[in-house]
């Protein structure tokens, strides 16, 4: 399932139906915000969560450790969130193996750079029903204007159109 980055907070009930998330693109700040939002939503439902972070290279160097982390149940935590950074197509088989068993207590959040349309990783997350694919591209001027106006409104700050445009340029 593909969800646009601006739809994430609007569709939070739809979002948490899946346990596997791919965040790809060049907007690191947006990817981090979405990861934090997903983590907070999972944490809201259940406070006993173990959060782990790995890089693709660590997984490729020690597959057994990755599978142990994914499949073993913790004595102290009900759910587990594993964030994988710098993912590429090299990791698709490992993700597919875990997806085949689909552990209910495991959430995978995968960060990747820009992925081509023909990428195996992107294709896997776009086509499977229990996965979520969220592209995170750089903001354009219109998006920045919407963000600025909503943040200024939250803080009850009034600025002229010229001042907002100057902020967006910077």
């Amino acid at each position: 399932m593909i969800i646009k980055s601006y739809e994430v907070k609007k569709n939070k009930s739809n979002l948490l139906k899946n346990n596997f998330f791919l965040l790809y693109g060049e907007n690191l700040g947006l990817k981090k915000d979405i990861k934090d939002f997903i983590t907070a939503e999972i944490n809201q439902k259940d406070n006993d969560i173990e959060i782990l972070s790995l890089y693709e290279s660590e997984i490729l160097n020690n597959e057994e450790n990755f599978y142990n982390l994914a499949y073993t149940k913790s004595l102290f935590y009900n759910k587990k969130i594993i964030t994988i950074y710098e993912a590429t197509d090299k990791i698709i088989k490992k993700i597919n193996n875990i997806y085949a068993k689909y552990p209910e207590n495991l959430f995978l959040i995968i960060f990747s750079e820009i992925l081509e349309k023909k990428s195996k990783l992107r294709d896997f997350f776009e086509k499977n029903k229990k996965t979520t694919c969220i592209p995170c591209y750089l903001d354009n001027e219109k998006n920045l204007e919407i963000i600025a106006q909503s943040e200024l409104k939250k803080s009850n700050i009034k600025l002229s159109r010229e001042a907002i445009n100057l902020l967006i340029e910077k």
Side-chain angles (χ1 to χ4, degrees):
M1 169 173 46
I2 302 171
I3 295 180
K4 303 288 184 199
S5 58
Y6 59 85
E7 295 174 334
V8 169
K9 292 183 181 175
K10 294 176 188 174
N11 293 334
K12 57 183 164 182
S13 60
N14 248 0
L15 183 70
L16 292 181
K17 287 181 181 175
N18 301 328
N19 290 14
F20 290 68
F21 303 92
L22 173 64
L23 309 175
Y24 73 92
E26 64 266 347
N27 195 333
L28 294 174
L30 181 58
K31 289 192 283 191
K32 183 187 175 307
D33 289 346
I34 292 172
K35 179 191 88 101
D36 292 344
F37 179 76
I38 293 168
T39 304
E41 288 298 312
I42 295 167
N43 201 16
Q44 194 173 40
K45 291 186 175 186
D46 191 352
N47 286 337
D48 296 330
I49 296 177
E50 180 178 14
I51 299 175
L52 304 166
S53 296
L54 297 169
Y55 284 87
E56 180 186 81
S57 58
E58 295 173 307
I59 294 168
L60 295 175
N61 290 337
N62 193 347
E63 285 182 41
E64 188 176 323
N65 183 46
F66 175 60
Y67 290 127
N68 285 338
L69 287 173
Y71 295 131
T72 57
K73 207 156 169 93
S74 173
L75 295 172
F76 305 105
Y77 302 103
N78 293 331
K79 294 189 179 179
K80 193 181 294 188
I81 299 173
I82 299 177
T83 305
I84 301 171
Y85 294 96
E86 299 176 3
T88 63
D89 285 346
K90 294 177 189 175
I91 200 171
I92 189 65
K93 285 184 181 176
K94 285 108 184 117
I95 302 298
N96 204 359
N97 291 340
I98 292 174
Y99 179 79
K101 295 183 181 175
Y102 205 77
E104 293 289 323
N105 64 332
L106 175 68
F107 290 86
L108 277 182
I109 302 173
I110 301 169
F111 277 49
S112 184
E113 293 298 317
I114 299 170
L115 295 174
E116 298 293 324
K117 187 75 174 158
K118 60 186 175 185
S119 163
K120 292 176 185 175
L121 188 62
R122 179 175 168 181
D123 187 58
F124 175 82
F125 276 85
E126 287 178 350
K127 292 189 177 172
N128 285 302
K129 292 182 181 177
K130 293 183 180 179
T131 60
T132 303
C133 185
I134 306 171
C136 300
Y137 296 114
L138 291 177
D139 293 320
N140 59 24
E141 286 188 21
K142 184 67 178 164
N143 290 346
L144 290 173
E145 182 181 339
I146 292 168
I147 293 167
Q149 286 177 343
S150 68
E151 290 300 318
L152 291 169
K153 191 174 185 178
K154 281 182 198 174
S155 302
N156 204 18
I157 299 172
K158 297 184 189 227
L159 287 178
S160 68
R161 169 70 83 211
E162 293 83 25
I164 292 173
N165 288 340
L166 186 62
L167 277 172
I168 291 169
E169 282 180 34
K170 295 295 178 190

mmCIF file with all atom_site columns, all heavy atoms in Angstrom, residues 73-95:
data_model
loop_
_atom_site.group_PDB
_atom_site.id
_atom_site.type_symbol
_atom_site.label_atom_id
_atom_site.label_alt_id
_atom_site.label_comp_id
_atom_site.label_asym_id
_atom_site.label_entity_id
_atom_site.label_seq_id
_atom_site.pdbx_PDB_ins_code
_atom_site.Cartn_x
_atom_site.Cartn_y
_atom_site.Cartn_z
_atom_site.occupancy
_atom_site.B_iso_or_equiv
_atom_site.pdbx_formal_charge
_atom_site.auth_seq_id
_atom_site.auth_comp_id
_atom_site.auth_asym_id
_atom_site.auth_atom_id
_atom_site.pdbx_PDB_model_num
ATOM 1   N N   . LYS A 1 73 ? 10.822 -13.494 21.407 1.00 0.00 ? 73 LYS A N   1
ATOM 2   C CA  . LYS A 1 73 ? 9.920  -12.684 22.223 1.00 0.00 ? 73 LYS A CA  1
ATOM 3   C C   . LYS A 1 73 ? 10.669 -12.249 23.477 1.00 0.00 ? 73 LYS A C   1
ATOM 4   O O   . LYS A 1 73 ? 11.408 -13.007 24.067 1.00 0.00 ? 73 LYS A O   1
ATOM 5   C CB  . LYS A 1 73 ? 8.688  -13.508 22.577 1.00 0.00 ? 73 LYS A CB  1
ATOM 6   C CG  . LYS A 1 73 ? 7.484  -12.679 22.819 1.00 0.00 ? 73 LYS A CG  1
ATOM 7   C CD  . LYS A 1 73 ? 6.245  -13.514 22.586 1.00 0.00 ? 73 LYS A CD  1
ATOM 8   C CE  . LYS A 1 73 ? 5.084  -12.827 23.051 1.00 0.00 ? 73 LYS A CE  1
ATOM 9   N NZ  . LYS A 1 73 ? 4.206  -12.076 22.643 1.00 0.00 ? 73 LYS A NZ  1
ATOM 10  N N   . SER A 1 74 ? 10.461 -11.021 23.888 1.00 0.00 ? 74 SER A N   1
ATOM 11  C CA  . SER A 1 74 ? 11.130 -10.478 25.053 1.00 0.00 ? 74 SER A CA  1
ATOM 12  C C   . SER A 1 74 ? 10.322 -10.783 26.315 1.00 0.00 ? 74 SER A C   1
ATOM 13  O O   . SER A 1 74 ? 9.094  -10.844 26.281 1.00 0.00 ? 74 SER A O   1
ATOM 14  C CB  . SER A 1 74 ? 11.287 -8.967  24.905 1.00 0.00 ? 74 SER A CB  1
ATOM 15  O OG  . SER A 1 74 ? 11.785 -8.404  26.085 1.00 0.00 ? 74 SER A OG  1
ATOM 16  N N   . LEU A 1 75 ? 11.021 -10.940 27.410 1.00 0.00 ? 75 LEU A N   1
ATOM 17  C CA  . LEU A 1 75 ? 10.338 -11.146 28.692 1.00 0.00 ? 75 LEU A CA  1
ATOM 18  C C   . LEU A 1 75 ? 9.748  -9.846  29.226 1.00 0.00 ? 75 LEU A C   1
ATOM 19  O O   . LEU A 1 75 ? 8.782  -9.857  29.986 1.00 0.00 ? 75 LEU A O   1
ATOM 20  C CB  . LEU A 1 75 ? 11.323 -11.705 29.726 1.00 0.00 ? 75 LEU A CB  1
ATOM 21  C CG  . LEU A 1 75 ? 11.875 -13.094 29.442 1.00 0.00 ? 75 LEU A CG  1
ATOM 22  C CD1 . LEU A 1 75 ? 12.972 -13.429 30.436 1.00 0.00 ? 75 LEU A CD1 1
ATOM 23  C CD2 . LEU A 1 75 ? 10.770 -14.128 29.486 1.00 0.00 ? 75 LEU A CD2 1
ATOM 24  N N   . PHE A 1 76 ? 10.316 -8.732  28.815 1.00 0.00 ? 76 PHE A N   1
ATOM 25  C CA  . PHE A 1 76 ? 9.931  -7.450  29.385 1.00 0.00 ? 76 PHE A CA  1
ATOM 26  C C   . PHE A 1 76 ? 9.051  -6.594  28.471 1.00 0.00 ? 76 PHE A C   1
ATOM 27  O O   . PHE A 1 76 ? 8.452  -5.626  28.923 1.00 0.00 ? 76 PHE A O   1
ATOM 28  C CB  . PHE A 1 76 ? 11.186 -6.648  29.753 1.00 0.00 ? 76 PHE A CB  1
ATOM 29  C CG  . PHE A 1 76 ? 12.109 -7.405  30.663 1.00 0.00 ? 76 PHE A CG  1
ATOM 30  C CD1 . PHE A 1 76 ? 13.286 -7.947  30.169 1.00 0.00 ? 76 PHE A CD1 1
ATOM 31  C CD2 . PHE A 1 76 ? 11.784 -7.599  31.997 1.00 0.00 ? 76 PHE A CD2 1
ATOM 32  C CE1 . PHE A 1 76 ? 14.138 -8.648  31.004 1.00 0.00 ? 76 PHE A CE1 1
ATOM 33  C CE2 . PHE A 1 76 ? 12.632 -8.302  32.829 1.00 0.00 ? 76 PHE A CE2 1
ATOM 34  C CZ  . PHE A 1 76 ? 13.806 -8.836  32.342 1.00 0.00 ? 76 PHE A CZ  1
ATOM 35  N N   . TYR A 1 77 ? 9.010  -6.908  27.200 1.00 0.00 ? 77 TYR A N   1
ATOM 36  C CA  . TYR A 1 77 ? 8.273  -6.076  26.246 1.00 0.00 ? 77 TYR A CA  1
ATOM 37  C C   . TYR A 1 77 ? 7.261  -6.913  25.463 1.00 0.00 ? 77 TYR A C   1
ATOM 38  O O   . TYR A 1 77 ? 7.521  -8.066  25.135 1.00 0.00 ? 77 TYR A O   1
ATOM 39  C CB  . TYR A 1 77 ? 9.239  -5.410  25.251 1.00 0.00 ? 77 TYR A CB  1
ATOM 40  C CG  . TYR A 1 77 ? 10.288 -4.559  25.918 1.00 0.00 ? 77 TYR A CG  1
ATOM 41  C CD1 . TYR A 1 77 ? 11.588 -5.022  26.052 1.00 0.00 ? 77 TYR A CD1 1
ATOM 42  C CD2 . TYR A 1 77 ? 9.970  -3.300  26.411 1.00 0.00 ? 77 TYR A CD2 1
ATOM 43  C CE1 . TYR A 1 77 ? 12.557 -4.238  26.673 1.00 0.00 ? 77 TYR A CE1 1
ATOM 44  C CE2 . TYR A 1 77 ? 10.938 -2.513  27.015 1.00 0.00 ? 77 TYR A CE2 1
ATOM 45  C CZ  . TYR A 1 77 ? 12.218 -2.996  27.149 1.00 0.00 ? 77 TYR A CZ  1
ATOM 46  O OH  . TYR A 1 77 ? 13.178 -2.224  27.749 1.00 0.00 ? 77 TYR A OH  1
ATOM 47  N N   . ASN A 1 78 ? 6.117  -6.314  25.162 1.00 0.00 ? 78 ASN A N   1
ATOM 48  C CA  . ASN A 1 78 ? 5.081  -6.996  24.369 1.00 0.00 ? 78 ASN A CA  1
ATOM 49  C C   . ASN A 1 78 ? 5.326  -6.864  22.872 1.00 0.00 ? 78 ASN A C   1
ATOM 50  O O   . ASN A 1 78 ? 4.995  -7.754  22.111 1.00 0.00 ? 78 ASN A O   1
ATOM 51  C CB  . ASN A 1 78 ? 3.693  -6.427  24.692 1.00 0.00 ? 78 ASN A CB  1
ATOM 52  C CG  . ASN A 1 78 ? 3.268  -6.747  26.097 1.00 0.00 ? 78 ASN A CG  1
ATOM 53  O OD1 . ASN A 1 78 ? 3.652  -7.756  26.670 1.00 0.00 ? 78 ASN A OD1 1
ATOM 54  N ND2 . ASN A 1 78 ? 2.466  -5.870  26.672 1.00 0.00 ? 78 ASN A ND2 1
ATOM 55  N N   . LYS A 1 79 ? 5.864  -5.709  22.457 1.00 0.00 ? 79 LYS A N   1
ATOM 56  C CA  . LYS A 1 79 ? 6.074  -5.451  21.031 1.00 0.00 ? 79 LYS A CA  1
ATOM 57  C C   . LYS A 1 79 ? 7.495  -4.981  20.792 1.00 0.00 ? 79 LYS A C   1
ATOM 58  O O   . LYS A 1 79 ? 8.168  -4.506  21.697 1.00 0.00 ? 79 LYS A O   1
ATOM 59  C CB  . LYS A 1 79 ? 5.081  -4.407  20.526 1.00 0.00 ? 79 LYS A CB  1
ATOM 60  C CG  . LYS A 1 79 ? 3.657  -4.910  20.577 1.00 0.00 ? 79 LYS A CG  1
ATOM 61  C CD  . LYS A 1 79 ? 2.705  -3.991  19.901 1.00 0.00 ? 79 LYS A CD  1
ATOM 62  C CE  . LYS A 1 79 ? 1.317  -4.606  19.987 1.00 0.00 ? 79 LYS A CE  1
ATOM 63  N NZ  . LYS A 1 79 ? 0.305  -3.819  19.404 1.00 0.00 ? 79 LYS A NZ  1
ATOM 64  N N   . LYS A 1 80 ? 7.901  -5.104  19.529 1.00 0.00 ? 80 LYS A N   1
ATOM 65  C CA  . LYS A 1 80 ? 9.262  -4.738  19.150 1.00 0.00 ? 80 LYS A CA  1
ATOM 66  C C   . LYS A 1 80 ? 9.209  -3.919  17.865 1.00 0.00 ? 80 LYS A C   1
ATOM 67  O O   . LYS A 1 80 ? 8.508  -4.274  16.924 1.00 0.00 ? 80 LYS A O   1
ATOM 68  C CB  . LYS A 1 80 ? 10.049 -6.025  18.921 1.00 0.00 ? 80 LYS A CB  1
ATOM 69  C CG  . LYS A 1 80 ? 11.522 -5.870  18.819 1.00 0.00 ? 80 LYS A CG  1
ATOM 70  C CD  . LYS A 1 80 ? 12.197 -7.211  18.574 1.00 0.00 ? 80 LYS A CD  1
ATOM 71  C CE  . LYS A 1 80 ? 12.028 -8.136  19.755 1.00 0.00 ? 80 LYS A CE  1
ATOM 72  N NZ  . LYS A 1 80 ? 12.813 -9.374  19.646 1.00 0.00 ? 80 LYS A NZ  1
ATOM 73  N N   . ILE A 1 81 ? 9.948  -2.810  17.844 1.00 0.00 ? 81 ILE A N   1
ATOM 74  C CA  . ILE A 1 81 ? 10.096 -1.999  16.637 1.00 0.00 ? 81 ILE A CA  1
ATOM 75  C C   . ILE A 1 81 ? 11.565 -2.059  16.230 1.00 0.00 ? 81 ILE A C   1
ATOM 76  O O   . ILE A 1 81 ? 12.443 -1.684  17.002 1.00 0.00 ? 81 ILE A O   1
ATOM 77  C CB  . ILE A 1 81 ? 9.686  -0.530  16.877 1.00 0.00 ? 81 ILE A CB  1
ATOM 78  C CG1 . ILE A 1 81 ? 8.224  -0.432  17.300 1.00 0.00 ? 81 ILE A CG1 1
ATOM 79  C CG2 . ILE A 1 81 ? 9.937  0.299   15.622 1.00 0.00 ? 81 ILE A CG2 1
ATOM 80  C CD1 . ILE A 1 81 ? 7.793  0.960   17.715 1.00 0.00 ? 81 ILE A CD1 1
ATOM 81  N N   . ILE A 1 82 ? 11.809 -2.538  15.020 1.00 0.00 ? 82 ILE A N   1
ATOM 82  C CA  . ILE A 1 82 ? 13.174 -2.567  14.485 1.00 0.00 ? 82 ILE A CA  1
ATOM 83  C C   . ILE A 1 82 ? 13.236 -1.579  13.329 1.00 0.00 ? 82 ILE A C   1
ATOM 84  O O   . ILE A 1 82 ? 12.475 -1.688  12.367 1.00 0.00 ? 82 ILE A O   1
ATOM 85  C CB  . ILE A 1 82 ? 13.583 -3.972  14.000 1.00 0.00 ? 82 ILE A CB  1
ATOM 86  C CG1 . ILE A 1 82 ? 13.543 -4.973  15.162 1.00 0.00 ? 82 ILE A CG1 1
ATOM 87  C CG2 . ILE A 1 82 ? 14.974 -3.930  13.362 1.00 0.00 ? 82 ILE A CG2 1
ATOM 88  C CD1 . ILE A 1 82 ? 13.855 -6.400  14.757 1.00 0.00 ? 82 ILE A CD1 1
ATOM 89  N N   . THR A 1 83 ? 14.131 -0.606  13.456 1.00 0.00 ? 83 THR A N   1
ATOM 90  C CA  . THR A 1 83 ? 14.352 0.367   12.390 1.00 0.00 ? 83 THR A CA  1
ATOM 91  C C   . THR A 1 83 ? 15.626 -0.023  11.652 1.00 0.00 ? 83 THR A C   1
ATOM 92  O O   . THR A 1 83 ? 16.669 -0.232  12.274 1.00 0.00 ? 83 THR A O   1
ATOM 93  C CB  . THR A 1 83 ? 14.483 1.794   12.958 1.00 0.00 ? 83 THR A CB  1
ATOM 94  O OG1 . THR A 1 83 ? 13.328 2.094   13.744 1.00 0.00 ? 83 THR A OG1 1
ATOM 95  C CG2 . THR A 1 83 ? 14.612 2.816   11.848 1.00 0.00 ? 83 THR A CG2 1
ATOM 96  N N   . ILE A 1 84 ? 15.514 -0.145  10.340 1.00 0.00 ? 84 ILE A N   1
ATOM 97  C CA  . ILE A 1 84 ? 16.661 -0.512  9.510  1.00 0.00 ? 84 ILE A CA  1
ATOM 98  C C   . ILE A 1 84 ? 17.030 0.695   8.649  1.00 0.00 ? 84 ILE A C   1
ATOM 99  O O   . ILE A 1 84 ? 16.192 1.211   7.917  1.00 0.00 ? 84 ILE A O   1
ATOM 100 C CB  . ILE A 1 84 ? 16.335 -1.720  8.612  1.00 0.00 ? 84 ILE A CB  1
ATOM 101 C CG1 . ILE A 1 84 ? 15.932 -2.920  9.478  1.00 0.00 ? 84 ILE A CG1 1
ATOM 102 C CG2 . ILE A 1 84 ? 17.531 -2.061  7.712  1.00 0.00 ? 84 ILE A CG2 1
ATOM 103 C CD1 . ILE A 1 84 ? 15.385 -4.087  8.694  1.00 0.00 ? 84 ILE A CD1 1
ATOM 104 N N   . TYR A 1 85 ? 18.287 1.133   8.768  1.00 0.00 ? 85 TYR A N   1
ATOM 105 C CA  . TYR A 1 85 ? 18.766 2.305   8.037  1.00 0.00 ? 85 TYR A CA  1
ATOM 106 C C   . TYR A 1 85 ? 19.588 1.880   6.824  1.00 0.00 ? 85 TYR A C   1
ATOM 107 O O   . TYR A 1 85 ? 20.196 0.820   6.808  1.00 0.00 ? 85 TYR A O   1
ATOM 108 C CB  . TYR A 1 85 ? 19.617 3.191   8.947  1.00 0.00 ? 85 TYR A CB  1
ATOM 109 C CG  . TYR A 1 85 ? 18.823 3.813   10.070 1.00 0.00 ? 85 TYR A CG  1
ATOM 110 C CD1 . TYR A 1 85 ? 18.796 3.236   11.333 1.00 0.00 ? 85 TYR A CD1 1
ATOM 111 C CD2 . TYR A 1 85 ? 18.074 4.968   9.868  1.00 0.00 ? 85 TYR A CD2 1
ATOM 112 C CE1 . TYR A 1 85 ? 18.057 3.800   12.365 1.00 0.00 ? 85 TYR A CE1 1
ATOM 113 C CE2 . TYR A 1 85 ? 17.337 5.540   10.887 1.00 0.00 ? 85 TYR A CE2 1
ATOM 114 C CZ  . TYR A 1 85 ? 17.330 4.950   12.137 1.00 0.00 ? 85 TYR A CZ  1
ATOM 115 O OH  . TYR A 1 85 ? 16.588 5.503   13.151 1.00 0.00 ? 85 TYR A OH  1
ATOM 116 N N   . GLU A 1 86 ? 19.612 2.771   5.809  1.00 0.00 ? 86 GLU A N   1
ATOM 117 C CA  . GLU A 1 86 ? 20.410 2.597   4.596  1.00 0.00 ? 86 GLU A CA  1
ATOM 118 C C   . GLU A 1 86 ? 20.089 1.298   3.857  1.00 0.00 ? 86 GLU A C   1
ATOM 119 O O   . GLU A 1 86 ? 20.980 0.606   3.370  1.00 0.00 ? 86 GLU A O   1
ATOM 120 C CB  . GLU A 1 86 ? 21.906 2.680   4.924  1.00 0.00 ? 86 GLU A CB  1
ATOM 121 C CG  . GLU A 1 86 ? 22.308 4.024   5.510  1.00 0.00 ? 86 GLU A CG  1
ATOM 122 C CD  . GLU A 1 86 ? 23.770 4.086   5.926  1.00 0.00 ? 86 GLU A CD  1
ATOM 123 O OE1 . GLU A 1 86 ? 24.521 3.108   5.708  1.00 0.00 ? 86 GLU A OE1 1
ATOM 124 O OE2 . GLU A 1 86 ? 24.157 5.125   6.465  1.00 0.00 ? 86 GLU A OE2 1
ATOM 125 N N   . ALA A 1 87 ? 18.811 0.964   3.774  1.00 0.00 ? 87 ALA A N   1
ATOM 126 C CA  . ALA A 1 87 ? 18.391 -0.272  3.115  1.00 0.00 ? 87 ALA A CA  1
ATOM 127 C C   . ALA A 1 87 ? 18.463 -0.140  1.593  1.00 0.00 ? 87 ALA A C   1
ATOM 128 O O   . ALA A 1 87 ? 18.214 0.922   1.041  1.00 0.00 ? 87 ALA A O   1
ATOM 129 C CB  . ALA A 1 87 ? 16.976 -0.632  3.541  1.00 0.00 ? 87 ALA A CB  1
ATOM 130 N N   . THR A 1 88 ? 18.811 -1.250  0.961  1.00 0.00 ? 88 THR A N   1
ATOM 131 C CA  . THR A 1 88 ? 18.843 -1.341  -0.502 1.00 0.00 ? 88 THR A CA  1
ATOM 132 C C   . THR A 1 88 ? 18.169 -2.659  -0.904 1.00 0.00 ? 88 THR A C   1
ATOM 133 O O   . THR A 1 88 ? 17.660 -3.388  -0.055 1.00 0.00 ? 88 THR A O   1
ATOM 134 C CB  . THR A 1 88 ? 20.289 -1.318  -1.037 1.00 0.00 ? 88 THR A CB  1
ATOM 135 O OG1 . THR A 1 88 ? 20.976 -2.466  -0.535 1.00 0.00 ? 88 THR A OG1 1
ATOM 136 C CG2 . THR A 1 88 ? 21.027 -0.046  -0.635 1.00 0.00 ? 88 THR A CG2 1
ATOM 137 N N   . ASP A 1 89 ? 18.223 -2.969  -2.180 1.00 0.00 ? 89 ASP A N   1
ATOM 138 C CA  . ASP A 1 89 ? 17.627 -4.213  -2.669 1.00 0.00 ? 89 ASP A CA  1
ATOM 139 C C   . ASP A 1 89 ? 18.325 -5.463  -2.123 1.00 0.00 ? 89 ASP A C   1
ATOM 140 O O   . ASP A 1 89 ? 17.773 -6.556  -2.191 1.00 0.00 ? 89 ASP A O   1
ATOM 141 C CB  . ASP A 1 89 ? 17.645 -4.246  -4.199 1.00 0.00 ? 89 ASP A CB  1
ATOM 142 C CG  . ASP A 1 89 ? 16.593 -3.335  -4.810 1.00 0.00 ? 89 ASP A CG  1
ATOM 143 O OD1 . ASP A 1 89 ? 15.686 -2.890  -4.080 1.00 0.00 ? 89 ASP A OD1 1
ATOM 144 O OD2 . ASP A 1 89 ? 16.678 -3.066  -6.023 1.00 0.00 ? 89 ASP A OD2 1
ATOM 145 N N   . LYS A 1 90 ? 19.519 -5.322  -1.590 1.00 0.00 ? 90 LYS A N   1
ATOM 146 C CA  . LYS A 1 90 ? 20.261 -6.467  -1.056 1.00 0.00 ? 90 LYS A CA  1
ATOM 147 C C   . LYS A 1 90 ? 19.541 -7.131  0.110  1.00 0.00 ? 90 LYS A C   1
ATOM 148 O O   . LYS A 1 90 ? 19.775 -8.295  0.401  1.00 0.00 ? 90 LYS A O   1
ATOM 149 C CB  . LYS A 1 90 ? 21.652 -6.027  -0.584 1.00 0.00 ? 90 LYS A CB  1
ATOM 150 C CG  . LYS A 1 90 ? 22.555 -5.558  -1.679 1.00 0.00 ? 90 LYS A CG  1
ATOM 151 C CD  . LYS A 1 90 ? 23.857 -5.077  -1.081 1.00 0.00 ? 90 LYS A CD  1
ATOM 152 C CE  . LYS A 1 90 ? 24.724 -4.400  -2.115 1.00 0.00 ? 90 LYS A CE  1
ATOM 153 N NZ  . LYS A 1 90 ? 25.934 -3.825  -1.509 1.00 0.00 ? 90 LYS A NZ  1
ATOM 154 N N   . ILE A 1 91 ? 18.676 -6.403  0.786  1.00 0.00 ? 91 ILE A N   1
ATOM 155 C CA  . ILE A 1 91 ? 18.034 -6.903  1.999  1.00 0.00 ? 91 ILE A CA  1
ATOM 156 C C   . ILE A 1 91 ? 16.657 -7.519  1.736  1.00 0.00 ? 91 ILE A C   1
ATOM 157 O O   . ILE A 1 91 ? 16.025 -8.053  2.644  1.00 0.00 ? 91 ILE A O   1
ATOM 158 C CB  . ILE A 1 91 ? 17.943 -5.762  3.030  1.00 0.00 ? 91 ILE A CB  1
ATOM 159 C CG1 . ILE A 1 91 ? 17.759 -6.303  4.423  1.00 0.00 ? 91 ILE A CG1 1
ATOM 160 C CG2 . ILE A 1 91 ? 16.836 -4.807  2.691  1.00 0.00 ? 91 ILE A CG2 1
ATOM 161 C CD1 . ILE A 1 91 ? 17.872 -5.262  5.490  1.00 0.00 ? 91 ILE A CD1 1
ATOM 162 N N   . ILE A 1 92 ? 16.206 -7.516  0.516  1.00 0.00 ? 92 ILE A N   1
ATOM 163 C CA  . ILE A 1 92 ? 14.835 -7.924  0.200  1.00 0.00 ? 92 ILE A CA  1
ATOM 164 C C   . ILE A 1 92 ? 14.527 -9.365  0.623  1.00 0.00 ? 92 ILE A C   1
ATOM 165 O O   . ILE A 1 92 ? 13.440 -9.641  1.128  1.00 0.00 ? 92 ILE A O   1
ATOM 166 C CB  . ILE A 1 92 ? 14.492 -7.692  -1.300 1.00 0.00 ? 92 ILE A CB  1
ATOM 167 C CG1 . ILE A 1 92 ? 12.992 -7.912  -1.553 1.00 0.00 ? 92 ILE A CG1 1
ATOM 168 C CG2 . ILE A 1 92 ? 15.323 -8.555  -2.202 1.00 0.00 ? 92 ILE A CG2 1
ATOM 169 C CD1 . ILE A 1 92 ? 12.111 -6.938  -0.883 1.00 0.00 ? 92 ILE A CD1 1
ATOM 170 N N   . LYS A 1 93 ? 15.452 -10.285 0.471  1.00 0.00 ? 93 LYS A N   1
ATOM 171 C CA  . LYS A 1 93 ? 15.194 -11.680 0.853  1.00 0.00 ? 93 LYS A CA  1
ATOM 172 C C   . LYS A 1 93 ? 14.959 -11.812 2.355  1.00 0.00 ? 93 LYS A C   1
ATOM 173 O O   . LYS A 1 93 ? 14.084 -12.564 2.783  1.00 0.00 ? 93 LYS A O   1
ATOM 174 C CB  . LYS A 1 93 ? 16.342 -12.589 0.422  1.00 0.00 ? 93 LYS A CB  1
ATOM 175 C CG  . LYS A 1 93 ? 16.361 -12.867 -1.061 1.00 0.00 ? 93 LYS A CG  1
ATOM 176 C CD  . LYS A 1 93 ? 17.446 -13.849 -1.420 1.00 0.00 ? 93 LYS A CD  1
ATOM 177 C CE  . LYS A 1 93 ? 17.460 -14.078 -2.922 1.00 0.00 ? 93 LYS A CE  1
ATOM 178 N NZ  . LYS A 1 93 ? 18.554 -14.960 -3.323 1.00 0.00 ? 93 LYS A NZ  1
ATOM 179 N N   . LYS A 1 94 ? 15.722 -11.088 3.140  1.00 0.00 ? 94 LYS A N   1
ATOM 180 C CA  . LYS A 1 94 ? 15.559 -11.158 4.601  1.00 0.00 ? 94 LYS A CA  1
ATOM 181 C C   . LYS A 1 94 ? 14.206 -10.582 5.032  1.00 0.00 ? 94 LYS A C   1
ATOM 182 O O   . LYS A 1 94 ? 13.516 -11.138 5.877  1.00 0.00 ? 94 LYS A O   1
ATOM 183 C CB  . LYS A 1 94 ? 16.696 -10.417 5.309  1.00 0.00 ? 94 LYS A CB  1
ATOM 184 C CG  . LYS A 1 94 ? 17.993 -11.193 5.292  1.00 0.00 ? 94 LYS A CG  1
ATOM 185 C CD  . LYS A 1 94 ? 18.944 -10.522 4.343  1.00 0.00 ? 94 LYS A CD  1
ATOM 186 C CE  . LYS A 1 94 ? 20.214 -11.281 4.190  1.00 0.00 ? 94 LYS A CE  1
ATOM 187 N NZ  . LYS A 1 94 ? 20.468 -11.785 2.868  1.00 0.00 ? 94 LYS A NZ  1
ATOM 188 N N   . ILE A 1 95 ? 13.824 -9.475  4.415  1.00 0.00 ? 95 ILE A N   1
ATOM 189 C CA  . ILE A 1 95 ? 12.533 -8.857  4.710  1.00 0.00 ? 95 ILE A CA  1
ATOM 190 C C   . ILE A 1 95 ? 11.400 -9.805  4.294  1.00 0.00 ? 95 ILE A C   1
ATOM 191 O O   . ILE A 1 95 ? 10.430 -9.999  5.027  1.00 0.00 ? 95 ILE A O   1
ATOM 192 C CB  . ILE A 1 95 ? 12.385 -7.499  3.988  1.00 0.00 ? 95 ILE A CB  1
ATOM 193 C CG1 . ILE A 1 95 ? 13.499 -6.537  4.385  1.00 0.00 ? 95 ILE A CG1 1
ATOM 194 C CG2 . ILE A 1 95 ? 11.012 -6.901  4.226  1.00 0.00 ? 95 ILE A CG2 1
ATOM 195 C CD1 . ILE A 1 95 ? 13.549 -6.168  5.836  1.00 0.00 ? 95 ILE A CD1 1
#
